Amino acid sequence: MAAPSPTEQRQALTPISVSPGELTSHEQAVADWVAEHSVVAGLGTDTLPSVGLLFVPLIAAGELVGVLGVRPAAGVTRFSPDQLRLIETVAGQSALVVERIQAAERA
């Protein structure tokens, strides 16, 4: 079976929106836990799965620089493996950006 073309792959992607959003007190508690432990938690994990977001620590140079919270589209209960890889990639790149901004501010 032939691999899907780039056009077919793009058509399979689900559009997303980026918004700072508001967290409930429970969601904020999970985000705080992720910041304290530097471990992924929330939606689709075995750690604090009772919230509707996936929280990923942003780690650069071995230091926590933030937490990324990702809320799926309405009705979605789990992220696909491809989506999880993309979220982890975005988290890693975001951590590097935050680290560079902090370094520039210190300079």
Side-chain angles (χ1 to χ4, degrees), residues 23-107:
L23 298 178
T24 66
S25 59
H26 182 61
E27 292 166 343
Q28 184 63 56
V30 175
D32 292 342
W33 186 92
V34 170
E36 183 177 333
H37 295 90
S38 296
V39 175
V40 175
L43 182 73
T45 71
D46 292 331
T47 306
L48 304 170
S50 61
V51 294
L53 287 91
L54 175 67
F55 291 99
V56 181
L58 302 180
I59 300 172
E63 297 290 323
L64 180 83
V65 296
V67 174
L68 173 67
V70 182
R71 186 184 311 273
V76 175
T77 58
R78 292 189 81 79
F79 291 105
S80 71
D82 286 342
Q83 289 170 322
L84 290 173
R85 280 190 294 279
L86 179 59
I87 291 166
E88 290 171 2
T89 299
V90 168
Q93 294 296 310
S94 298
L96 292 174
V97 169
V98 171
E99 177 191 38
R100 288 183 182 162
I101 290 170
Q102 289 174 341
E105 289 173 347
R106 287 190 299 268

